[in-house]
Amino acid sequence: MRHLIIGSGPAGVVAAETLRKADPVADITLLCGEPEPPYSRMAIPYLLKGDIAEAGTHLRKDADHYATQRIQVVHGRARSVDTTGRTVDLGGGQRLPYDRLLIATGSRPSRESIPGIDLPGVRSCWTLEDARAILALAQAKPGIRIVQMGAGFVGCIIMEGLLSRGVDLTILVRSGYMVRRMMNPTASGLLQQWCQAKGVKIFTRTQPAGLSAADGVLQVALADGRVLPADIYLSAVGVDPNLDFLAGSGINLGQGIVVDEHLQSSVPGVYAAGDVAESRDCLTGKRQLNAIQPNAVEQGRIAALNMAGRPTAFKGSFVFNVLTTLGLVSSSFGEWEGQPGGDSAEVLDAARYRYLNLQFQGDRLIGANSVGFTDHVGALRGLIEGRVRLGRWKQRLMEDPTQIMQVYVAGVHSVA
Amino acid sequence: MQKSLHIDPNKCTGCLQCEMACSWENYRSFTTAKSRIKVFSFHEAGRFVPYTCTQCDEAWCMTACPVDAIKLDPVTGAKIVLDPTCVGCKVCTIACPFGTINYVAQSGKVQKCDLCDGAPACAKACPTAAITYVDADWTGLEKMRQWAGKTDTNPATV
Ligand SMILES: Cc1cc2nc3c(=O)[nH]c(=O)nc-3n(C[C@H](O)[C@H](O)[C@H](O)COP(=O)(O)OP(=O)(O)OC[C@H]3O[C@@H](n4cnc5c(N)ncnc54)[C@H](O)[C@@H]3O)c2cc1C
Ligand code: SF4
Ligand code: SF4
């Protein structure tokens, strides 16, 4: 059996390793789309900060790891997939055959459509190559001006690394709120206050109208007429799944690759995992993309088991995230916006940047937002994903949401 | 046979010897706040419940780690955080559905129970045998493990 995996991010690597465990004799090929050893995008913020060297971002630290596991690593980009002939075209006449295919191509930064978005100096912070370019410029020109468009998850998590390199940072936020997709206005407001207190300029309800270049300096024209000079315009407005090369393949595409409960696409023998897969959300039951690391590794594992002929259902996932913004830790779980008819409870200590908001439906926890709380936050996942009925302990949480671990342990040990 | 921590809350008196021992073992200080095992007290019910990582088979923390900073100890079965490799991203702390791997602001890394290389200090310190280190089959940990993973679980308290 020839297994081919396109994409060597966390989903692809975990899938390759799982396949090896499940099928000791199979041929396993891992296609890396970037000229790097398999690495983790999530580690990039720590590379920017200088906490780790590039090798620290590599998903596996032992250089022989893939050889030892008999995983053949090939560098190249898939141009198209022929699902009838079962080959993947790498261009230049090179084709890789497969019996089972896993698409784990992840996502790529989306770009706002404004004039000048193709100018040199416009960057994302998504790949090792991006990180190198940003670091090189920051080192060559101390105090460079970075205008960053977007304060979503990735936009926030890279700020610390950027500031640690002495850059002059201005952030434009289209909506009124930072991390709008995972934080409620209170949590988001705390983050904004925190960043401003640390010297980051944040313009909310602001977006660029266009970019131009004058003497090698970018000019960021804002919709209100102001112009901000910038050495780098850092675009961080969100991500889109990498699907382009699947046009004409016959694979059913929605927002991402539509997969069934075995993570198989509409074409038998072709599977998808990670940021690129559109699968079931276990809270809402709807199909959706879920571009987070824990989902990528879990789907990589499950897809591989199915590819190896061990039918394994994916139980569904939901979105949860932890974010460190210039040292302030926040997290977001599930349906943090709540549901109609549900209850919520919260505690806020704005002066100390501490906040916890819980959302319930009936006596179940369905979502949460936190700022400044890190202890035992995993229990939030456990309670939400397990759809645990809290019974009378819900009242305890309504009175004091910080008792979350207490309530969790009470349930585990049936404390009356 | 691999051993695991067996916790019998009925025997726990809330003396916190385990927390002290854990803190001493790992930090050479008696600071219960630093302990990787926590004793939760339920005053109304007059009960105390020590709680820590069960070294679960799924090892959510280990698989979620983006930089391979959590390793399986093949002898004890413990999932162990490698401090020099950990970048402090905390993704493991939300991936573990049991809440038993936690961020330590002072070090900028996470910590969890590592079974002290097969000689858990908490079990040694516990004066009432509420915490013991025994053959895995003997422990009632399965129920702890299953509880969060199962859908529509009803805690006995409902
Ligand atoms: C700076 C940053 C910080 C982040 N922080 C967090 C965090 O704290 N928590 C969290 O949960 N998530 C975080 N994420 C998101 C997380 O990194 C992704 O969810 C995760 O990488 C998804 O894994 P994946 O394997 O699906 O895709 P990816 O990691 O994107 O890997 C996809 C691979 O496929 C390759 N590829 C793409 N197209 C082709 C092609 N045509 N041919 C061949 N190869 C191809 C790519 O080069 C890449 O190697 C962060 C992302 C970034 C950029
Ligand atoms: S910390 Fe959590 S996920 Fe990791 S081994 Fe322990 S119980 Fe399992
Ligand atoms: S905090 Fe450390 S151990 Fe946990 S996932 Fe991140 S790097 Fe790995």
Side-chain angles (χ1 to χ4, degrees), chain A residues 61 324 364 376 381 406, chain B residues 41 44 67 90 95 102 152:
Chain A
K61 304 295 186 257
T324 310
R364 293 186 169 101
H376 310 300
R381 175 187 182 183
Q406 193 86 3
Chain B
S41 36
E44 308 98 281
V67 295
K90 308 167 202 72
N102 283 295
D152 289 328

Side-chain angles (χ1 to χ4, degrees), chain A residues 7 9-11 33-34 41-42 77-78 104-106 126 153 274-275 291-293:
Chain A
E34 293 165 51
R41 307 199 184 293
M42 264 196 73
R77 291 199 72 90
T105 47
W126 190 252
F153 183 71
D275 281 13
I292 60 169
Q293 170 92 10

Side-chain angles (χ1 to χ4, degrees), chain A residues 28 106 135 219 243 253 264 268 292 303 317 325 353 361 367 379-380 413:
Chain A
I28 303 169
L135 284 175
Q219 308 292 322
L243 300 168
L253 306 176
Q264 186 166 227
I292 60 169
S317 61
T325 314
Y353 293 97
Q361 183 60 263
L380 292 167
H413 288 279

Side-chain angles (χ1 to χ4, degrees), chain A residues 40 46 56 59-61 293 297 322 324 364 375-376 378 381-382 386 389 393 396 405-406 408-410 412-413 415, chain B residues 9 40-42 44 49 51 64 66-68 87 89-90 93-99 102 144 148 150 152-153 155 157:
Chain A
S40 188
Y46 308 94
L59 274 159
R60 301 294 175 254
K61 304 295 186 257
Q293 170 92 10
V297 291
V322 58
T324 310
R364 293 186 169 101
D375 279 352
H376 310 300
R381 175 187 182 183
R389 300 204 49 191
W393 292 102
R396 173 75 75 92
M405 191 64 186
Q406 193 86 3
Y408 181 89
V409 170
V412 176
H413 288 279
V415 174
Chain B
F40 290 86
S41 36
F42 298 88
E44 308 98 281
V49 181
Y51 190 75
V67 295
D68 219 10
V87 293
C89 73
K90 308 167 202 72
T93 70
I94 57 170
C96 165
F98 309 98
N102 283 295
M144 231 153 111
K150 224 159 58 180
D152 289 328
T153 313
T157 50

Side-chain angles (χ1 to χ4, degrees), chain A residues 229-408:
Chain A
D231 302 289
I232 296 179
Y233 175 87
L234 200 58
S235 171
V237 294
V239 296
D240 294 313
N242 278 318
L243 300 168
D244 296 352
F245 68 105
L246 295 174
S249 65
I251 296 168
N252 184 15
L253 306 176
Q255 284 177 287
I257 298 168
V258 178
V259 291
D260 64 16
E261 66 165 353
H262 295 104
L263 303 181
Q264 186 166 227
S265 75
S266 62
V267 174
V270 178
Y271 295 76
D275 281 13
V276 78
E278 184 179 320
S279 65
R280 206 178 67 85
D281 181 293
C282 64
L283 300 182
T284 63
K286 293 189 190 127
R287 280 199 331 243
Q288 64 158 25
L289 299 170
N290 187 0
I292 60 169
Q293 170 92 10
N295 182 56
V297 291
E298 178 68 0
Q299 289 194 339
R301 188 178 73 82
I302 303 251
L305 290 174
N306 287 300
M307 290 166 75
R310 295 195 194 170
T312 310
F314 179 61
K315 292 203 194 83
S317 61
F318 71 103
V319 183
F320 51 92
N321 244 318
V322 58
L323 166 68
T324 310
T325 314
L326 299 173
L328 184 63
V329 184
S330 57
S331 66
S332 170
F333 292 85
E335 299 191 66
W336 53 268
E337 288 175 291
Q339 273 178 1
D343 296 315
S344 71
E346 67 174 29
V347 276
L348 171 65
D349 180 350
R352 294 172 58 215
Y353 293 97
R354 281 172 74 77
Y355 177 60
L356 184 61
N357 176 288
L358 303 179
Q359 296 288 340
F360 303 91
Q361 183 60 263
D363 68 349
R364 293 186 169 101
L365 187 71
I366 56 167
N369 264 164
S370 82
V371 177
F373 281 92
T374 55
D375 279 352
H376 310 300
V377 279
L380 292 167
R381 175 187 182 183
L383 290 172
I384 295 170
E385 192 163 286
R387 296 176 47 75
V388 172
R389 300 204 49 191
L390 296 165
R392 67 181 189 82
W393 292 102
K394 177 188 168 191
Q395 191 49 36
R396 173 75 75 92
L397 291 177
M398 291 294 288
E399 286 156 20
D400 182 359
T402 66
Q403 293 292 302
I404 194 83
M405 191 64 186
Q406 193 86 3
V407 166
Y408 181 89

Side-chain angles (χ1 to χ4, degrees), chain A residues 155-172:
Chain A
C156 282
I157 220 163
I158 60 177
M159 274 184 215
E160 188 166 359
L162 295 175
L163 284 197
S164 76
R165 301 289 171 165
V167 313
D168 174 43
L169 189 59
T170 305
I171 308 231
L172 313 181

